[in-house]
Amino acid sequence: VWHRACDLAELVYRLTANFPPHEQYGLTSQMRRAATSVQANIAEGAGRWGPSEFQRFLSMAKGSLAELDAETAVARRLEYLTEEKAESIVSLVDEVAGMVVRLRQALARAAAEGAGR
């Protein structure tokens, strides 16, 4: 999951490099921070104690994915991204979101099985 989240951050950095200069501290920065937040939260959660903490950080990663999805829509509407480039971000956001959800569910199952012992 973390590797695909890194792919997403790289893609966002590359595609926002062509945004107008006046967006450097606006939409460019917002999209980059949301994208890097995804992989950072996955890494931080993995480094914490126990699955419940990891699940909490995965929830934050999922929120950052939703934020990036919304920001991508704005960038598309402002014509900073072509439809094709916006779709490449959205597609990867959807893929990573699904992976995050499945990982969170697996952690929840593992925690429940561990509690039942």
Side-chain angles (χ1 to χ4, degrees):
V1 178
W2 180 81
H3 287 285
R4 288 305 280 163
C6 287
D7 293 343
L8 176 61
E10 179 184 348
L11 177 64
V12 169
Y13 264 78
R14 290 185 189 283
L15 294 180
T16 58
N18 298 317
F19 280 17
H22 68 270
E23 286 292 353
Q24 179 179 0
Y25 301 107
L27 196 55
T28 301
S29 177
Q30 284 292 113
M31 289 180 72
R32 288 176 173 187
R33 283 187 288 138
T36 56
S37 176
V38 175
Q39 56 87 26
N41 276 304
I42 293 167
E44 187 171 355
R48 295 286 179 139
W49 294 105
S52 63
E53 282 192 82
F54 196 178
Q55 288 176 25
R56 186 168 59 86
F57 279 89
L58 290 173
S59 291
M60 288 187 274
K62 184 85 166 55
S64 293
L65 287 162
E67 179 183 350
L68 180 57
D69 189 50
E71 291 159 349
T72 300
V74 171
R76 175 65 193 112
R77 290 178 74 154
L78 293 172
E79 298 180 350
Y80 296 162
L81 291 171
T82 63
E83 188 67 39
E84 181 182 333
K85 289 178 180 178
E87 183 53 37
S88 68
I89 294 173
V90 169
S91 176
L92 196 46
V93 163
D94 289 346
E95 179 185 342
V96 173
M99 295 171 81
V100 166
V101 167
R102 288 187 297 279
L103 178 55
R104 194 169 189 280
Q105 290 169 340
L107 288 168
R109 279 193 304 275
E113 289 170 3
R117 290 183 195 175

